Amino acid sequence: MSQSIRYAVNGSVGTLCIDQEQRHNSLGAVELQGIGEVLDLIETDPEVRVLIVTGAGEKTFCAGASLDDLNSGVLKPDAFQSVMHRLATLAIPTLARVNGNVFGGGTELALSCDFRVGVVGTRLRVPAAAFGLCYPPAGISLFVEKLGANVARRMLVAAEAMDAVEAYRIGFYDYIVAQEELDERVEELALHIAGLAPLATRAMKELIAQAGRGSIDISRATELSRLCEESDDLQEGFAAQREKRMPEFSGK
């Protein structure tokens, strides 16, 4: 795995960190390959129930795709979109710890996660139109799916810069906190989600994604519902409620 991509697991929570602070945590070919390797690990590790995605330092979460690698041809736009799609469709819930400013494709990285926690005083901008670039179709679809067409126009067509408060107001952030409160809030949220029934959270994540694209596959929804209803986790959830204790879900 690339030295610029760090991955650690603490209990049921995995953390992926882009460690390229001197380059504003931009994503070149090497970093995208490293993220892909992390996703490979997660997909084969049933113990990891939540993934946190973050950048190193406090200045920048991610500046998007490396312009040097794009200009040199080392990085193809399709490679960036492929990794973002894998992250967005990961079975387990994902949480972006947006530790600083967000630029370009870094916004797509954050939107590819299910939840986003930002820092008051930071800003975000997608400057593609200011460079003369058209943002890739897959990314545009994600912006519209997550934020709606009107906000997507503000961010992409108008290349509008926004502070964290405005980004929270439009729905980009689910939560915003002071920098010194970021770790505590992210850990609290990650542990809370990790303690929920894995089959249920994965099923609903999948169906919410389908609904966001316009329709739910009823046969798939029926199958996911059946798996939850027949699971040991459902019985454990009922038992924990009766016994007034915290449930211990197995994901089965």
Side-chain angles (χ1 to χ4, degrees):
M1 189 181 303
S2 164
Q3 292 184 346
S4 54
I5 298 296
R6 293 188 279 110
Y7 178 60
V9 178
N10 184 7
S12 55
V13 178
T15 299
L16 184 161
C17 179
I18 307 163
D19 194 359
Q20 283 279 75
E21 188 175 359
Q22 74 282 5
R23 294 174 56 190
H24 299 282
N25 296 322
S26 60
L27 299 174
V30 170
E31 288 72 42
L32 289 171
Q33 180 180 344
I35 293 174
E37 291 171 359
V38 170
L39 297 179
D40 289 341
L41 292 174
I42 293 169
E43 289 171 347
T44 58
D45 188 350
E47 299 302 316
V48 177
R49 297 182 180 180
V50 175
L51 174 65
I52 297 170
V53 177
T54 191
E58 297 183 356
K59 186 174 182 179
T60 308
F61 167 67
C62 177
S66 166
L67 294 181
D68 289 341
D69 279 15
L70 283 173
N71 291 334
S72 68
V74 172
L75 174 61
K76 305 298 183 184
D78 287 350
F80 184 88
Q81 296 300 321
S82 176
V83 172
M84 295 304 103
H85 177 73
R86 284 193 65 190
L87 177 61
T89 57
L90 195 66
I92 63 172
T94 51
L95 169 59
R97 175 188 176 274
V98 186
N99 51 291
N101 299 319
V102 194
F103 302 112
T107 57
E108 186 178 349
L109 175 65
L111 284 174
S112 296
C113 295
D114 298 307
F115 305 94
R116 288 163 295 283
V117 182
V119 174
V120 174
T122 59
R123 58 195 178 95
L124 66 86
R125 189 184 185 217
V126 185
F131 295 148
L133 298 173
C134 176
Y135 206 85
I140 292 175
S141 294
L142 183 67
F143 275 81
V144 174
E145 177 186 331
K146 292 291 185 77
L147 301 173
N150 288 341
V151 172
R153 272 190 287 268
R154 289 177 61 185
M155 296 184 72
L156 298 172
V157 178
E160 182 178 338
M162 300 181 184
D163 62 20
V165 173
E166 179 64 6
Y168 172 75
R169 192 190 69 79
I170 65 171
F172 181 86
Y173 288 125
D174 297 290
Y175 313 93
I176 51 174
V177 296
Q179 183 73 57
E180 62 270 19
E181 299 171 356
L182 180 62
D183 286 336
E184 181 180 358
R185 185 68 184 101
V186 169
E187 181 180 15
E188 176 186 52
L189 184 58
L191 291 177
H192 169 72
I193 296 171
L196 302 174
L199 289 177
T201 58
R202 293 183 184 200
M204 288 186 282
K205 171 176 174 171
E206 181 178 335
L207 296 177
I208 288 169
Q210 289 184 17
R213 292 190 293 269
S215 65
I216 290 180
D217 182 338
I218 298 303
S219 62
R220 176 60 175 163
T222 300
E223 173 64 12
L224 291 172
S225 179
R226 182 188 65 80
L227 290 172
C228 291
E229 290 172 358
E230 296 176 358
S231 69
D232 293 341
D233 279 352
L234 181 61
Q235 299 308 312
E236 167 63 11
F238 286 151
Q241 187 177 45
R242 288 194 305 270
E243 297 164 12
K244 294 181 172 55
R245 59 174 175 82
M246 293 296 294
E248 297 182 6
F249 295 116
S250 64
K252 300 178 181 178

